[in-house]
Every structure is written in C-alpha cells, then in structure tokens.
Amino acid sequence: MRILVVEDDLDLNRQLCQALEEAGYVVDKAFDGEEGHFLGDTEPYDAVVLDIGLPQMDGLSVLERWRRSNRNMPVLILTARDRWSDKVAGIDAGADDYVAKPFHMEEVLARVRALVRRAAGLASNEIVIGDVVLDVRAGKVTLAGQAVKLTSHEFRLLSYLMHHKGRIVSRTELVEHLYDQDFDRDSNTIEVFIGRLRKKFGGNLIETVRGLGYRVQEENA
Ligand code: CA
C-alpha cells in the first residue's frame, strides 16, 4: 500500500512518514500544495494524508482539483483544532475523513487503515483466505494459526493481493503500489517475492494468471 503525505511542517511530515513506514506502508512525501497536487495527480496512491494549510496551493484547492479530474483515492485531511469550518469545507471538497491537530499518531494510523480497508470493500482489519489470516492492524500473518515471519516487502505484497482478493492484479500495478517514487522499478523482483510467499504459504494461495498478473482467490481451494 502506497501513501502520499502532504504536510509543510518538516517535523510533522517526518513523523507521519516514519509512523506510516513503520506500519508497513510505502510513503511518498510533499511539502507544498503544488508538489502534492502533482504527485497525487500522476501517481497511484492507496490513501493520502493532506494538510489543509499549505504553501503554494492550499489543501482544499489540491483536493478539489484531484476530485475534478476524477482522482478518487481516499483522502484524510489534517485540520487546525478549532477550525470546524475547515472540516466541513474539506468534506465538501471530497475528503473521506479528517483528523484535527494536534493529534495522536495512532489516530492517524487507524484512520488510514480504515480508509484503505473501505476502499477495498473490507469491513474488518482481518483478511481471511482459507487458513491464511492477515491482521492489517498488527501487521502479522498466520497460517493455520501459526505466525509466519515475513519481510516488510513480502508483507506489503501479500497485503496488497489480499486487500484485492478475487481480482487479477498486474505486475505493473504491484510495482506502482509497493514501491515509492524513488525506487528503481524492476517488475522482475515481484516474481522473486511471489516465489518466496509461495514457499511460505504453499503454491495455492497466489495464482499466476498468464500474461495478466496474480490473483488471490476469495476461497483458497
Ligand atoms: Ca501546514
């Protein structure tokens, strides 16, 4: 899952990126509205954390522009504590949720998890496929009740496929959602990680759909 953070406060930007990365997301960052708007307009994100008070272009304008050009990714806005009107304007501009500053990082993480989950049509933080259970909140996976040790790359890959269970996901889509913008994107590495996941979970969990990509079935047959 790839997240964009748009926040001009350097410290806060760094804290948000760090917390999201520790939670297993890949994070791109922007420090003003123009840069943020550009990234959100050109790169695919699974969610965006967008500050309202930004230089160059304010957060509401960024959001309105995205929505006008049909950029539909979930957006969590950060508002000043006593500016209730920002919350209303933000939601009217197309925000999916908001957090008022100052906030606890855990709240931002929980709201981002919920946005990503809802965008995938999931009601729970646990995604179950046969005897494989992925706990999004804890960042852990079990197979038949036993914890499976995964690297962060393996976890991200499995999490993305399980969030989109039943759908064929192309290698290009995986590369776009699993690596940040600075990563040297070689889609062959995806195959390597798929191989490692198959070693850990058996060959049936992830199906290769020739020429199209990979699929995790709703029910692991
Ligand atoms: Ca700001």
Side-chain angles (χ1 to χ4, degrees), residues 37 40-41 62-72:
H37 173 262
D41 215 29
V62 170
L63 184 54
E64 278 167 359
R65 285 197 190 189
W66 281 338
R67 295 317 193 206
R68 266 205 305 274
S69 48
N70 287 318
R71 302 295 290 173
N72 293 327

Side-chain angles (χ1 to χ4, degrees), residues 44-161:
Y45 292 104
D46 297 292
V48 178
V49 178
L50 175 68
D51 185 31
I52 290 300
L54 289 169
Q56 315 290 349
M57 192 194 304
D58 69 86
L60 286 180
S61 305
V62 170
L63 184 54
E64 278 167 359
R65 285 197 190 189
W66 281 338
R67 295 317 193 206
R68 266 205 305 274
S69 48
N70 287 318
R71 302 295 290 173
N72 293 327
M73 62 283 195
V75 174
L76 173 71
I77 54 171
L78 305 177
T79 66
R81 195 235 268 282
D82 41 3
R83 298 283 297 273
W84 64 268
S85 54
D86 278 356
K87 296 167 194 163
V88 175
I91 286 168
D92 280 342
D96 298 275
D97 202 356
Y98 66 84
V99 174
K101 292 179 179 179
F103 49 76
H104 288 281
M105 200 54 81
E106 279 305 321
E107 185 179 357
V108 171
L109 293 177
R111 290 184 184 277
V112 167
R113 271 198 302 275
L115 289 180
V116 170
R117 192 175 70 213
R118 285 204 294 267
L122 301 169
S124 151
N125 273 323
E126 279 196 349
I127 311 174
V128 182
I129 313 263
D131 52 5
V132 178
V133 179
L134 184 137
D135 184 334
V136 179
R137 183 156 174 254
K140 294 201 162 68
V141 185
T142 57
L143 171 63
Q146 299 291 312
V148 180
K149 253 190 123 162
L150 297 179
T151 65
S152 57
H153 266 77
E154 291 165 358
F155 180 82
R156 280 204 290 269
L157 174 54
L158 183 63
S159 177
Y160 193 85
L161 288 170

Side-chain angles (χ1 to χ4, degrees), residues 13-24:
N13 190 307
R14 185 177 44 75
Q15 288 164 26
L16 283 162
C17 290
Q18 192 183 340
L20 287 162
E21 276 163 9
E22 279 167 10

Side-chain angles (χ1 to χ4, degrees), residues 132 134 140-143 148-162 174 178-179 189-208 214-216 220:
V132 178
L134 184 137
K140 294 201 162 68
V141 185
T142 57
L143 171 63
V148 180
K149 253 190 123 162
L150 297 179
T151 65
S152 57
H153 266 77
E154 291 165 358
F155 180 82
R156 280 204 290 269
L157 174 54
L158 183 63
S159 177
Y160 193 85
L161 288 170
M162 286 182 76
L174 287 170
L178 301 180
Y179 300 109
T189 57
I190 295 288
E191 221 162 319
V192 174
F193 286 112
I194 293 276
R196 290 186 193 165
L197 287 174
R198 283 182 173 143
K199 273 202 191 115
K200 293 182 179 181
F201 294 96
N204 289 336
L205 179 64
I206 303 167
E207 173 195 0
T208 300
Y214 302 100
R215 178 169 52 196
V216 162
N220 188 13

Side-chain angles (χ1 to χ4, degrees), residues 20-52:
L20 287 162
E21 276 163 9
E22 279 167 10
Y25 299 101
V26 171
V27 185
D28 288 343
K29 52 184 174 291
F31 297 91
D32 65 62
E34 255 173 37
E35 189 189 7
H37 173 262
F38 174 76
L39 283 175
D41 215 29
T42 51
E43 298 286 329
Y45 292 104
D46 297 292
V48 178
V49 178
L50 175 68
D51 185 31
I52 290 300

